[in-house]
Amino acid sequence: MKTTRGKLHGIDRESVLLEARKTLAQPSRRLFAQRALTLGGLAMLTGCSLSDDKSVETFLSAVSRLNDRAQGWLFDPTKLAPTYTEAQLTRPFPFNAYYGIDEVPDVDASTYRLKLSGLVTGKRVWTLPELYALPRAEQITRHICVEGWSAIGRWGGTPFGDFLRRAGADTSAKYVGFKCADDYYESIDMPTALHPQTLLSLEYDGERLPAKYGFPMKLRIPTKLGYKNPKHIVEIFVTNTYPGGYWVDQGYNWFGGA
Ligand SMILES: Nc1nc2c(c(=O)[nH]1)N[C@H]1C(S)=C(S)[C@@H](COP(=O)(O)O)O[C@H]1N2
Ligand SMILES: [Mo]
């Protein structure tokens, strides 16, 4: 097959196609390979099914075209992720972490403090009542895990961009990083942090966020893959130094989404 569109993220299209075919032919546990995962996750974020060669080809040529237009769909920081109705909620919503559900951290609400650090001029320590008093928004979006599942959930909380501005964060900085109660860590680019759908989530399905989904707080980013959505956040920092992430430092793609 002739490659007509040159490179896709520095990889030529033909080898990406080959990789996708190999992936589809493999048992699902092999989906842990980084490139395959990125591809599958990307497909889910863009609503493409990769069920056969034809759909893989359609998807990849779409990605390739987008790549040609540098400002394409996937990399537009203002593009909204799809939202869903209550009838479409996935019940029960899956739990996932790098450990089992019996090891979920038990964060004490009364002693909990959210720390803000780095390029922030405002309030640096937040209690839960202060966080619960912030303006509230709610959304029903699809969470997409690179391990090959997705689920629709309803999260409530405060728009993260508003929170950052309220806290005096330098929104011209490059990154926002997160430290979690379970030693997980992540970081995102500032345009994603300021995206209108990025939510500092304190609730799941109308209730206080339960421990398994990240009590007391998670960042819900519907334009990003699951692993970019840190749970049990204890510290948020604003920085120009690339902070990496738990999975990213093990070879996953840092961008992890749209
Ligand atoms: N603190 C923390 N956040 C985390 C993880 C984790 O292990 N620890 N796992 C990530 C991954 S890979 C997924 S798919 C989602 C799962 O969130 P859920 O339990 O609400 O489904 O959390 C993400 N955030
Ligand atoms: Mo995940």
Side-chain angles (χ1 to χ4, degrees):
M1 188 196 309
K2 272 261 175 289
T3 303
T4 51
R5 292 188 186 275
K7 303 271 181 181
L8 174 72
H9 302 295
I11 311 158
D12 74 67
R13 188 168 173 273
E14 210 163 340
S15 61
V16 173
L17 271 167
L18 193 70
E19 195 74 28
R21 291 216 177 83
K22 280 195 296 194
T23 302
L24 288 168
Q26 284 168 355
S28 62
R29 68 190 159 76
R30 291 301 307 274
L31 287 170
F32 280 98
Q34 177 204 356
R35 188 164 304 153
L37 284 174
T38 303
L39 210 67
L42 217 55
M44 282 198 271
L45 279 171
T46 54
C48 297
S49 87
L50 298 184
S51 52
D52 53 45
D53 270 11
K54 180 110 182 67
S55 52
V56 170
E57 178 119 16
T58 308
F59 164 67
L60 287 170
S61 66
V63 171
S64 179
R65 270 197 311 279
L66 291 162
N67 196 48
D68 287 347
R69 293 185 271 133
Q71 298 300 313
W73 192 99
L74 278 173
F75 305 104
D76 178 353
T78 60
K79 166 94 189 178
L80 295 181
T83 56
Y84 301 87
T85 65
E86 292 217 23
Q88 292 172 294
L89 288 172
T90 304
R91 297 190 193 276
F93 192 85
F95 158 82
N96 196 27
Y98 69 88
Y99 42 78
I101 196 158
D102 44 336
E103 287 170 69
V104 166
D106 179 19
V107 177
D108 178 0
S110 62
T111 56
Y112 174 84
R113 298 289 181 274
L114 172 70
K115 273 192 218 127
L116 260 69
S117 61
L119 306 171
V120 174
T121 55
K123 189 170 159 50
R124 287 182 168 247
V125 179
W126 294 73
T127 63
L128 272 179
E130 288 168 339
L131 293 165
Y132 290 142
L134 292 170
R136 186 176 167 280
E138 192 177 89
Q139 68 195 13
I140 301 179
T141 52
R142 184 185 291 276
H143 170 113
I144 300 166
C145 175
V146 286
E147 288 172 40
W149 57 271
S150 79
I152 295 170
R154 177 158 77 109
W155 288 273
T158 202
F160 190 49
D162 293 350
F163 176 72
L164 285 178
R165 287 184 200 99
R166 189 182 292 260
D170 176 358
T171 54
S172 70
K174 280 192 185 155
Y175 309 104
V176 181
F178 305 88
K179 294 180 189 171
C180 307
D182 57 359
D183 293 334
Y184 195 82
Y185 58 103
E186 247 309 340
S187 60
I188 56 173
D189 55 290
M190 189 60 79
T192 296
L194 302 178
H195 186 282
Q197 287 174 310
T198 300
L199 200 64
L200 197 59
S201 301
L202 298 150
E203 289 170 19
Y204 181 77
D205 204 14
E207 311 275 336
R208 287 276 149 89
L209 199 66
K212 61 182 172 181
Y213 301 145
F215 183 84
M217 180 205 293
K218 72 172 278 178
L219 196 70
R220 177 64 197 133
I221 319 172
T223 55
K224 293 282 187 192
L225 293 169
Y227 65 88
K228 300 296 296 179
N229 291 235
K231 306 194 288 187
H232 315 288
I233 299 168
V234 293
E235 184 170 344
I236 298 176
F237 58 99
V238 178
T239 179
N240 283 311
T241 309
Y242 173 73
Y246 183 89
W247 290 115
V248 173
D249 292 350
Q250 297 175 53
Y252 286 76
N253 169 262
W254 180 75
F255 203 67

